[in-house]
Amino acid sequence: MIRTIAGAELFINGAEVFRKYCKKLMLVFAVFLAGCASKNVQQVDHSAVTATNGQSQVGVDEPVTPFAAETLYDLLVAEIGGQRQRYDLALGNYLKQAHKTRDIGVARRAYQVAVYVGARQAALDASLLWVELEPENPDALHGSSLELVYAGQYDRAFARMSQQLSLGGSPAFDVLASAAGNDQGRHSQLELIQQFDQLSQAYPDYPVLKLGRAILRQQTGAFESALTLANELLRQDRGFVPAMMVKGRALHKLKRDAEAEIMLADAIRRHPDKNRLRLLYGRVLVHAGKLDLARKQFEILLERAPGESDIVLSLALITSENGLEQEAVQYFEQLLALGERNNTAHYYLGRLSEKRQKYSAAKEHYLSVGPGKEFMAAQVALTQMLVGQNKLEEALTHVGEARSRHPARMESLFLLEGELLVNDRQLGRALILFERALKTNPESVNLLYSRAMVYEKLDDLEGLEKDLRSILAFDPDNAAALNALGYTLADRTDRVKEAEALILQAYDLNSEDPAILDSMGWVQFRLGNLDQAEKYLRMAYSQLPDAEIAAHLGEVLWVKGEQDAARSLWAEALRKSPDSQILKDTMGRLTGGDPKSQAETVSTAP
């Protein structure tokens, strides 16, 4: 209908023409909006302000404000642009004229178009103008509050939602809580929790407000509180699915997976079409090790949404974990066909190919992993595979080439190359590599620490101490450096009191680290405090039954006169680590025999 308007007529008497055709114009644009709704464009829950069941909520009988000819022309061009799928033109003209005319209807239209095309910044701009023009319109408040959420302006969004609630609207407090919980720091989350709690005093039974409180508590780790609020919601409405989601997640985080599984199984039985519930149920089953049951849930989800990459990935991982390698390969290849999670798919296809001794295919997949969280894992897997094939030089060449292609990963790749050299006992070459790396990044804690460990293996304690003290100069609370320096001084020098001070600093920073507990025990042994030494070393060994800790603890027991206990401990450690040099050296030194015969003797200990 709009295309029949003559351009000359429009320009001669624009105002009269627009008023004559305005109702038809609005009807055509309603069809345009309905058409948009059927397209695959980004949409959100703005049901109060957008088209419903294919019909615009802006009625064609609304009074029309007279506009200047220029405005009429821009609006008509916007309509034609919408009809021709030039949404950028439609949105630009509507937004321009909304600000120019400050007309409520035009501002609302601009907002609706922006929402349909997923133009978040434009939607925020238009919604703020709309609510400025109609400050007590619940629909305008709803739209602007959601756009403020998407823009990360959570305090302003909460204020708008509070106002919307007071006017009888239905604010999306759950959307706000979810977004804020994911994006903000803990301090800001706690502030928002206080605002939610304060508002809940005036509206104690408003479900979505209580749901928002539960979501925020869950996001901050207050799972018991989240569970309590979810249970309150379910007592109000047994079928409130969002509350079931919160309850299931809270139970899972509280390690009450058996309860979560029972609750979610019942929820799925009552709400079989709720995919998010089924997805959570499947993940709980995976965590519980019930992979066959989990697989059934994900297969149902995949049948409903065959292009959903998260579901395909879950099935790929489950089948891989169950040893169904061929099925896993098919799912990972499906991910590649979807064009999503390519790095993840290539990484796992590499692992599966390597496991099946298809080394060329494995290498190709590893090399196809681009920048992302799987990148370094793929580099490590590839180099380990090459080393296992006695291709160390090829592995080193690959790492060097990767460093050239990916300068952002330079530090990590230097560390990987250094580790390959150290493991091959090429310590001099490793030292040269780290010296080269530190020229480009002289304050890298990781590179300095790694070079210090090479110095330790070369018995260059002066070099080790210099690098570790360089780390502590700009990172005085680095527990690893404090511990490494303290342990080395305690083990290899007579500066034991100095060592104790360093290790105590490390212990204050991380008292649960078994390496630090081992150092605490060893320095106490060197000071002659045998009971204290045994206490710390037993704590360390209970957390990490490592050969070096066993050697230390056994030596303490031996010196205390508990030789049988020492032998028994060493026997246990040797069965787990038969090639441990520190165990053999310790036993040989204390028992007076050569390490080999001592190992044979200890292997028969009770």
Side-chain angles (χ1 to χ4, degrees):
M1 187 71 71
I2 288 181
R3 292 193 184 97
T4 63
I5 300 175
E9 184 183 1
L10 174 65
F11 284 107
I12 291 170
N13 194 356
E16 285 297 319
V17 171
F18 188 81
R19 280 193 288 271
K20 179 178 179 181
Y21 289 98
C22 186
K23 292 184 179 181
K24 293 180 181 179
L25 179 73
M26 300 293 274
L27 180 59
V28 169
F29 193 62
V31 175
F32 155 58
L33 286 179
C36 286
S38 69
K39 297 182 184 298
N40 184 24
V41 296
Q42 181 181 356
Q43 297 188 41
V44 291
D45 182 13
H46 291 65
S47 56
V49 292
T50 56
T52 303
N53 297 325
Q55 298 296 322
S56 171
Q57 288 193 347
V58 181
V60 297
D61 293 325
E62 287 187 0
V64 178
T65 303
F67 293 128
E70 180 186 354
T71 296
L72 292 171
Y73 178 74
D74 276 353
L75 295 176
L76 284 170
V77 168
E79 296 297 336
I80 295 171
Q83 286 291 308
R84 294 179 178 177
Q85 299 185 4
R86 284 291 310 277
Y87 304 128
D88 56 336
L89 183 62
L91 178 57
N93 280 17
Y94 262 115
L95 202 55
K96 170 187 170 184
Q97 290 302 328
H99 283 285
K100 184 174 181 178
T101 65
R102 294 182 63 80
D103 180 85
I104 293 171
V106 178
R108 177 174 52 215
R109 236 1 147 195
Y111 171 60
Q112 291 172 333
V113 177
V115 168
Y116 272 111
V117 300
R120 289 270 74 86
Q121 186 57 47
L124 175 62
D125 183 11
S127 69
L128 293 177
L129 176 61
W130 182 18
V131 83
E132 179 186 341
L133 298 172
E134 282 193 293
E136 294 190 353
N137 183 326
D139 293 346
L141 287 165
H142 180 77
S144 65
S145 65
L146 284 175
E147 295 307 327
L148 287 166
V149 168
Y150 302 141
Q153 300 182 40
Y154 303 121
D155 288 339
R156 291 181 67 191
F158 181 83
R160 292 284 165 87
M161 288 185 183
S162 300
Q163 186 181 356
Q164 183 188 357
L165 184 59
S166 70
L167 293 170
S170 302
F173 286 113
D174 54 335
V175 176
L176 169 58
S178 296
N182 286 326
D183 287 354
Q184 288 191 311
R186 183 173 176 81
H187 178 71
S188 299
Q189 290 171 346
L190 294 175
E191 285 185 350
L192 198 56
I193 285 174
Q194 291 177 353
Q195 291 177 300
F196 269 72
D197 288 348
Q198 186 174 359
L199 186 62
S200 69
Q201 294 176 10
Y203 301 92
D205 296 321
Y206 187 70
V208 181
L209 179 59
K210 187 175 288 187
L211 176 63
R213 293 171 63 204
I215 291 170
L216 275 171
R217 279 168 167 74
Q218 184 171 270
Q219 298 276 18
T220 56
F223 302 118
E224 289 286 2
S225 180
L227 181 59
T228 298
L229 289 166
N231 283 330
E232 290 177 9
L233 285 164
L234 290 171
R235 281 194 291 272
Q236 289 178 248
D237 179 0
R238 184 169 175 262
F240 192 25
V241 171
M244 296 177 193
M245 296 288 296
V246 172
K247 181 173 181 177
R249 291 194 184 104
L251 288 170
H252 174 58
K253 291 293 186 180
L254 291 167
K255 302 188 185 305
R256 293 160 61 177
D257 282 337
E259 293 177 62
E261 184 181 338
I262 292 170
M263 188 275 293
L264 290 169
D266 179 64
I268 289 297
R269 182 182 56 78
R270 290 188 286 121
H271 303 280
D273 59 328
K274 299 298 183 182
N275 289 345
R276 290 177 63 212
L277 265 179
R278 193 177 294 277
L279 180 61
L280 178 58
Y281 180 43
R283 288 173 174 167
V284 168
L285 289 170
V286 169
H287 192 265
K290 300 182 178 181
L291 300 182
D292 287 338
L293 290 175
R295 182 183 178 185
K296 292 177 182 177
Q297 302 307 316
F298 286 114
E299 285 175 342
I300 292 171
L301 289 167
L302 187 60
E303 186 177 343
R304 295 176 180 177
E308 182 57 53
S309 61
D310 284 347
I311 298 169
V312 177
L313 177 59
S314 296
L315 277 167
L317 294 172
I318 288 171
T319 50
S320 178
E321 186 70 21
N322 274 334
L324 303 172
E325 295 175 6
Q326 188 55 45
E327 289 186 51
V329 167
Q330 291 173 357
Y331 284 125
F332 283 122
E333 288 178 343
Q334 186 176 343
L335 273 180
L336 292 178
L338 290 170
E340 298 185 39
R341 307 294 188 94
N342 286 359
N343 284 346
T344 303
H346 277 302
Y347 172 69
Y348 281 103
L349 284 169
R351 300 304 297 257
L352 288 165
S353 297
E354 183 182 352
K355 186 176 180 181
R356 299 159 82 184
Q357 298 184 346
K358 296 182 177 181
Y359 299 119
S360 295
K363 181 179 178 180
E364 185 176 342
H365 282 300
Y366 289 141
L367 289 173
S368 297
V369 177
K373 66 180 182 179
E374 292 92 357
F375 177 77
M376 281 309 302
Q379 307 312 305
V380 172
L382 174 56
T383 54
Q384 287 179 343
M385 182 181 77
L386 292 172
V387 169
Q389 297 174 283
N390 296 316
K391 297 179 180 179
L392 173 62
E393 290 304 320
E394 183 180 339
L396 294 169
T397 299
H398 162 71
V399 176
E401 292 173 349
R403 196 164 53 241
S404 299
R405 292 194 305 270
H406 303 279
R409 296 296 187 122
M410 184 175 293
E411 181 188 57
S412 297
L413 290 164
F414 267 124
L415 292 168
L416 175 57
E417 186 172 352
E419 183 180 358
L420 292 172
L421 291 169
V422 170
N423 289 342
D424 198 53
R425 301 183 184 278
Q426 298 189 45
L427 301 180
R429 195 173 167 187
L431 191 61
I432 293 171
L433 175 77
F434 286 129
E435 287 171 352
R436 182 162 61 113
L438 282 161
K439 286 180 180 178
T440 59
N441 196 353
E443 294 189 352
S444 166
V445 170
N446 292 324
L447 289 171
L448 283 167
Y449 189 88
S450 294
R451 186 172 70 174
M453 295 303 99
V454 174
Y455 279 132
E456 189 272 336
K457 293 180 185 299
L458 290 169
D459 291 324
D460 185 349
L461 301 190
E462 182 179 347
L464 173 140
E465 183 169 359
K466 181 181 176 181
D467 278 350
L468 293 178
R469 290 202 182 278
S470 294
I471 294 172
L472 295 172
F474 48 81
D475 186 7
D477 290 334
N478 190 300
L482 287 165
N483 180 62
L485 181 56
Y487 175 77
T488 302
L489 294 178
D491 188 54
R492 311 276 286 275
T493 76
D494 58 359
R495 296 157 60 185
V496 184
K497 291 301 292 183
E498 185 181 350
E500 182 186 28
L502 291 164
I503 295 169
L504 281 170
Q505 280 184 261
Y507 180 78
D508 287 341
L509 291 166
N510 189 357
S511 62
E512 301 297 321
D513 186 339
I516 295 174
L517 290 169
D518 176 61
S519 297
M520 281 287 290
W522 195 240
V523 78
Q524 293 305 316
F525 172 70
R526 295 279 282 125
L527 289 167
N529 303 322
L530 300 184
D531 288 341
Q532 286 282 50
E534 182 182 352
K535 181 186 81 169
Y536 286 115
L537 288 168
R538 285 197 182 278
M539 290 168 61
Y541 193 68
S542 68
Q543 292 188 42
L544 180 66
D546 171 80
E548 183 172 357
I549 299 175
H552 290 160
L553 179 55
E555 183 160 353
V556 171
L557 294 172
W558 188 276
V559 172
K560 288 181 71 176
E562 301 176 23
Q563 283 85 359
D564 288 344
R567 287 193 178 95
S568 178
L569 176 67
W570 288 332
E572 175 189 310
L574 271 174
R575 281 192 287 270
K576 295 177 183 176
S577 305
D579 297 325
S580 171
Q581 193 59 46
I582 189 172
L583 270 173
K584 295 174 180 178
D585 289 346
T586 299
M587 291 155 44
R589 174 168 48 83
L590 292 175
T591 62
D594 69 275
K596 183 176 180 181
S597 63
Q598 290 301 324
E600 292 170 352
T601 302
V602 170
S603 67
T604 62

